Amino acid sequence: MLNHKVKKNILYKSKNLTFYNAEVSDSLGGFFFDTGISAGFPSPAEDFKEERLSLDKEFIKNKEATFFARVSGQSMVGAGLEDNDLLIIDRSLEPANNKIAVCFLDGEFTVKRLKMDKTGLWLKPENPNYPMIKITEENDFVIWGIVTNVIKKVY
């Protein structure tokens, strides 16, 4: 299980994102069945190999640099980031072209795909209804962290 124990005290809330600290648990996690689950026709019953899986260990590589943020808005739906999804953000990772990043831009946090080319740095939404944003010297801009995973509710 992802035992991040989101506290009632929110670390920071902006128009587009709400941030939480990562709190890694030492629990054993949930059961993991290492047989694969068919998304097509069911396969004949097999002996299931059962072991423990900690999503904390799967998703959090650097506890001190990992944060969670809840998405608000539709600008990244083409990348699979939708309203209310929970992002896992690692601040220790280096920004790179095509990575999805949480950025602080002119007083607001936003999540966009980084586009770096000879013309400069751009923040690219993954929704055609939103324009690309060119970063200039006039912007108050920081790449705050790199999105490593997204957690979705499917119900």
Side-chain angles (χ1 to χ4, degrees):
M1 291 195 220
L2 190 59
N3 293 316
H4 61 273
K5 297 179 186 173
V6 175
K7 299 177 184 178
K8 290 186 180 190
N9 294 340
I10 294 171
L11 191 65
Y12 179 83
K13 184 173 177 81
S14 74
K15 184 174 76 177
N16 298 316
L17 296 167
T18 303
F19 291 90
Y20 307 90
N21 272 334
E23 226 180 80
V24 179
S25 169
D26 291 331
S27 77
L28 294 175
F31 289 108
F32 173 61
F33 298 99
D34 191 19
T35 60
I37 296 176
S38 175
F41 294 105
S43 61
E46 299 177 20
D47 291 332
F48 291 103
K49 180 181 174 188
E50 180 183 301
E51 55 187 73
R52 292 270 182 182
L53 175 72
S54 167
L55 294 181
D56 291 342
K57 290 177 183 165
E58 285 289 317
F59 291 136
I60 299 174
K61 304 302 180 209
N62 186 344
K63 177 184 170 186
E64 288 74 30
T66 300
F67 293 83
F68 296 92
R70 195 159 302 281
V71 175
S72 175
Q74 300 295 318
S75 72
M76 294 297 289
V77 293
L81 307 182
E82 298 173 299
D83 215 29
N84 267 342
D85 285 350
L86 190 63
L87 304 179
I88 302 175
I89 305 154
D90 190 333
R91 296 194 70 195
S92 68
L93 297 177
E94 288 292 318
N97 190 44
N98 280 326
K99 293 285 184 181
I100 295 177
V102 171
C103 303
F104 186 76
L105 175 62
D106 298 330
E108 286 290 330
F109 280 98
T110 188
V111 58
K112 299 286 184 282
R113 188 172 301 280
L114 299 175
K115 287 294 183 184
M116 302 172 189
D117 62 24
K118 61 185 175 188
T119 66
L121 174 63
W122 297 80
L123 300 182
K124 182 181 183 276
E126 297 285 340
N127 181 333
N129 297 324
Y130 292 81
M132 284 185 63
I133 302 166
K134 171 117 171 92
I135 302 302
T136 67
E137 291 180 9
E138 289 79 42
N139 292 116
D140 178 15
F141 178 74
V142 174
I143 297 174
W144 196 80
I146 302 299
V147 175
T148 59
N149 292 281
V150 60
I151 299 172
K152 302 177 149 305
K153 289 186 181 179
V154 293
Y155 57 89

